Structures are given as structure tokens and as C-alpha cells.
């Protein structure tokens, strides 16, 4: 078979032309604080079990990317132990009994170095995979993500993680404005609000792809595998 630079991924609103050498798989905030009881998600009054559907699909795409040599990047939302990077407006938000920095069953909520801030064991980063610690919802704000991507010649992002309408959407919008082509995994993202999940995905690819593309994880895995086969 003749080698190819790109491979087509069936997607909404139209097929995505993936170049695995210029793509990064960005896994957003798959942290215990969002996915397990007692963390930030729960403190905001959410049913954290709703997010667990994304773990399997993300794990499958992660295996495929590692196998094919596609760059994998992980992000974590959290703050310095002295909370000096936590805006007062964000701290006040939520109004619950437990806020960012308060003690919880997995350590201080959304604070770097605490157990709850860690990425869940199933998706733990391995050596060589950059981990971006971010104080905001978007992964570009106040981080070195853009420098890392530009330095490696990345122009396309495969986005996954939680939550669809908050940190994934914010990151997709930031990336789109910076000129990156974004494809978001419909089953590798999840929300505490299923209707927000569906609507956020619809918003991303409405108007002929206003922020990018949406595809199921299996179609991305098949494309990466086909590309690897064609270039073997
Ligand atoms: N990572 C992320 O989405 N942070 C949030 O606070 N999400 C909510 O949906 N609350």
C-alpha cells in the first residue's frame, strides 16, 4: 500500500482529514476530583457517576495513539496550595459548604499535589506525555500548552475528557481561535448534564463546523490503525 499523510475520519459535519504526525490527543481533566465522590464535581452538587462513561472510549483511543506514536497530552484543573492563582470570583462560586482548597475525602479540593487532583488510574500518564496544569477551564489560559504544541509542529487536536460543555468546550474554542483543527470525541466526553453534553457537541459542529468536528472514538481508532497500516 502507498503511504499516506492523512486519513479520513467519518465525522460531523463532514469527514475529518487526520494527519497523525501533526495531531495530538488532548485528554482534559480526567481527575478524581471530577469523577469520584467527594471531589470538586460532587461539591458542586453533581452526580459524578455520569462522567464515567467516557473512561472506556478514552482508554481505547489512548491505546491507539500510544501504539501509533500520536502525541498524548493530559490536562488537570487545579490550583497552587496557597491558592494564589485562584481568582476570588472562582473561589466564591458554588456557594456550597465545600469549596476549592477545603479538605475533602481525597485531600484539599482541586489543589495540586492532592490525591483528588490526580488523573484517574485507568488513564494515568506515562513517561514522555506532557501534563498541563491549568488554573482555568480552558487548557490554553495561563499554561504552556500552545508552546508545546507549536514546538512539536502540531496543527490538529483530538479532544476528550470532562466536562463536555465546560473545560472541553472552552479548550476547543481557545484552540480554534489559535488556528488548530479540532475533532472532539462524542463518547470520550461527558457531562453532569446529559442534555448539555448533546447540545455542546451539536454546537461545536453546527454552522458547517463552527468550532470543528465531532466523531465517535471507534472511527478515530479505525483511522489511526488504517494510517499505521498504510505507512508500515
Ligand atoms: N474540567 C471541568 O470541566 N471543570 C468543571 O468545573 N466542570 C464542570 O462541569 N463543573
Amino acid at each position: 500500500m502507498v503511504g499516506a499523510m492523512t486519513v479520513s475520519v467519518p465525522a460531523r459535519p463532514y469527514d475529518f482529514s487526520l494527519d497523525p504526525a501533526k495531531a495530538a490527543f488532548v485528554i482534559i481533566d480526567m481527575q478524581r476530583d471530577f469523577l469520584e465522590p467527594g471531589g470538586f464535581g460532587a461539591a458542586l452538587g453533581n452526580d459524578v457517576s455520569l462522567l464515567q462513561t467516557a473512561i472506556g472510549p478514552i482508554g481505547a483511543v489512548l491505546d491507539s495513539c500510544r501504539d501509533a506514536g500520536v502525541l498524548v497530552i493530559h490536562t488537570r484543573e487545579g490550583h497552587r496550595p496557597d491558592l494564589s492563582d485562584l481568582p476570588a470570583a472562582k473561589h466564591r462560586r458554588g456557594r456550597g459548604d465545600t469549596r476549592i482548597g477545603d479538605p475533602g475525602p481525597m485531600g484539599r479540593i482541586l489543589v495540586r499535589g492532592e490525591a483528588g487532583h490526580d488523573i484517574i488510574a485507568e488513564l494515568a500518564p506515562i513517561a514522555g506525555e506532557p501534563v498541563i496544569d491549568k488554573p482555568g477551564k480552558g487548557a490554553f489560559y495561563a499554561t504552556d500548552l500552545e508552546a508545546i504544541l507549536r514546538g512539536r509542529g502540531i496543527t490538529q487536536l483530538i479532544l476528550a475528557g470532562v466536562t463536555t460543555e465546560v473545560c472541553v468546550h472552552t479548550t476547543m474554542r481557545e484552540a480554534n481561535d489559535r488556528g488548530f483543527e479540532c475533532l472532539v470525541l462524542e463518547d470520550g466526553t461527558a457531562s453532569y448534564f446529559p442534555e448539555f453534553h448533546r447540545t455542546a457537541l451539536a454546537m461545536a459542529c453546527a454552522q458547517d463546523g463552527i468550532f470543528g468536528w465531532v466523531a465517535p472514538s471507534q472511527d478515530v481508532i479505525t483511522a489511526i490503525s488504517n494510517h499505521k497500516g498504510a505507512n508500515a
Side-chain angles (χ1 to χ4, degrees):
M1 215 170 180
V2 178
M5 301 285 277
T6 65
V7 62
S8 188
V9 182
R12 290 185 274 155
Y14 54 89
D15 289 359
F16 181 77
S17 187
L18 177 69
D19 182 348
K22 293 187 175 172
F25 182 37
V26 182
I27 306 173
I28 297 171
D29 301 356
M30 289 297 284
Q31 296 161 256
R32 300 183 65 194
D33 261 330
F34 293 109
L35 286 127
E36 295 181 14
F40 184 59
L44 292 174
N46 299 302
D47 172 3
V48 295
S49 70
L50 287 163
L51 302 195
Q52 288 162 12
T53 56
I55 300 172
I58 294 175
V61 175
L62 183 58
D63 288 345
S64 157
C65 287
R66 284 174 176 164
D67 183 51
V70 173
L71 176 64
V72 175
I73 294 182
H74 306 259
T75 76
R76 300 185 295 201
E77 179 177 353
H79 297 277
R80 292 170 177 268
D82 65 3
L83 305 185
S84 56
D85 59 353
L86 174 62
K90 183 177 178 182
H91 198 190
R92 282 194 298 267
R93 216 88 47 73
R95 303 191 297 177
D97 294 339
T98 316
R99 299 187 187 189
I100 296 172
D102 289 348
M106 295 183 288
R108 293 178 66 208
I109 293 194
L110 235 55
V111 169
R112 295 177 191 159
E114 303 286 341
H117 181 261
D118 274 350
I119 292 170
I120 57 169
E122 297 93 316
L123 304 175
I126 60 173
E129 294 175 353
V131 177
I132 307 290
D133 281 329
K134 63 190 187 60
K137 303 305 181 193
F140 287 85
Y141 172 67
T143 73
D144 53 7
L145 174 60
E146 184 167 2
I148 291 173
L149 295 173
R150 303 261 186 236
R152 299 196 189 209
I154 300 296
T155 62
Q156 301 184 327
L157 305 184
I158 301 164
L159 296 169
V162 296
T163 61
T164 321
E165 80 281 11
V166 181
C167 290
V168 177
H169 230 262
T170 304
T171 300
M172 187 176 196
R173 289 165 185 244
E174 289 180 325
N176 182 60
D177 278 351
R178 285 167 173 77
F180 295 94
E181 292 181 312
C182 297
L183 178 147
V184 63
L185 298 182
E186 63 187 28
D187 52 348
T189 48
S191 169
Y192 301 117
F193 306 89
E195 71 274 27
F196 290 177
H197 171 73
R198 281 192 299 276
T199 304
L201 295 176
M203 287 166 66
C205 67
Q207 303 178 71
D208 223 17
I210 196 73
F211 299 129
W213 289 260
V214 177
S217 57
Q218 187 54 55
D219 287 343
V220 173
I221 293 167
T222 301
I224 290 172
S225 153
N226 287 345
H227 183 270
K228 198 174 170 223
N231 289 280

